[in-house]
Amino acid sequence: MIGERVVGSRIYDHVSGHFTRKFLKEFLARARSSLVLTRQSYRCDTPHAKRLMEMRAEVESPDVLRVTHQTLDVQALPFPVHVRQAPRAEARRLRCSICNRLRPKGRPAWCEPEEIARPGETSLVVHTVCPDCREQINLRRQHGVFSRVHVDGS
């Protein structure tokens, strides 16, 4: 079972991409320093569905930060969309770790996965944080707020 392999392991063993790790590190640091519930919405799709999720971090004791994830909404995709993490040199697309949009390498536009994926294709991706999500994070950082942000891919 996946839970048995994840619970108690280092969180960064399950996170890829420089910007994604940086975001998570800042999110957790804010949760530790604020001593209040800290939240962040994000997308975590399955091949068959868009899933809007929320990550929550809360200090339980000086040595324990509890991180939980909750599903907020699920919507069926028109066809299965498969992605796989790949080494940077092999990846053909970038994938935002927060809104889940994809950007083909060498192109400026970020799109919903089902807009550029083809049925039966597996997209090789490298995880990052797109400019729109980075801007939202920077605005919240400037205002000292890390809470719910609506991510709908628009």
Side-chain angles (χ1 to χ4, degrees), residues 92-94 103-109:
R92 295 178 302 176
R93 297 184 174 135
L94 301 175
R103 188 191 92 184
K105 276 188 167 178
R107 295 194 182 164

Side-chain angles (χ1 to χ4, degrees), residues 16 43-49 77 79-86 91-97 100-103 111-118 120-127:
S16 63
R43 283 254 312 266
C44 184
D45 296 353
T46 70
H48 302 281
L77 288 166
F79 58 87
V81 176
H82 297 278
V83 296
R84 182 169 55 88
Q85 177 72 25
R92 295 178 302 176
R93 297 184 174 135
L94 301 175
R95 183 180 194 179
C96 180
S97 296
N100 216 37
R101 291 182 299 165
L102 298 176
R103 188 191 92 184
C111 305
E112 289 295 313
E114 67 274 15
E115 292 174 3
I116 60 174
R118 295 183 198 123
E121 171 189 64
T122 297
S123 294
L124 301 178
V125 301
V126 172
H127 286 86

Side-chain angles (χ1 to χ4, degrees), residues 40-41 98-99 130-142 145-146 149-152 154:
Q40 172 66 46
S41 293
I98 296 175
C99 70
C130 74
D132 291 344
C133 290
R134 248 186 264 160
E135 183 177 336
Q136 288 179 2
I137 291 166
N138 288 336
L139 287 172
R140 290 196 321 272
R141 185 183 303 126
Q142 290 170 3
V145 176
F146 243 111
V149 171
H150 183 65
V151 179
D152 67 0
S154 57

Side-chain angles (χ1 to χ4, degrees), residues 5-96:
R5 292 190 313 246
V6 173
V7 173
S9 64
R10 292 174 5 107
I11 195 165
Y12 294 105
D13 291 345
H14 308 282
V15 178
S16 63
H18 169 75
F19 287 109
T20 305
R21 285 176 184 256
K22 182 179 176 185
F23 159 75
L24 184 60
K25 193 175 204 177
E26 290 177 9
F27 174 81
L28 297 175
R30 180 163 307 275
R32 283 187 191 98
S33 67
S34 69
L35 301 178
V36 297
L37 178 64
T38 305
R39 310 194 258 196
Q40 172 66 46
S41 293
Y42 65 98
R43 283 254 312 266
C44 184
D45 296 353
T46 70
H48 302 281
K50 292 181 185 184
R51 295 188 310 173
L52 181 62
M53 308 283 289
E54 183 177 70
M55 176 172 51
R56 297 176 179 188
E58 191 169 24
V59 174
E60 283 193 351
S61 71
D63 297 330
V64 177
L65 181 67
R66 177 172 296 278
V67 178
T68 59
H69 301 267
Q70 178 181 358
T71 303
L72 302 176
D73 188 36
V74 178
Q75 298 173 4
L77 288 166
F79 58 87
V81 176
H82 297 278
V83 296
R84 182 169 55 88
Q85 177 72 25
R88 184 167 289 282
E90 296 174 27
R92 295 178 302 176
R93 297 184 174 135
L94 301 175
R95 183 180 194 179
C96 180

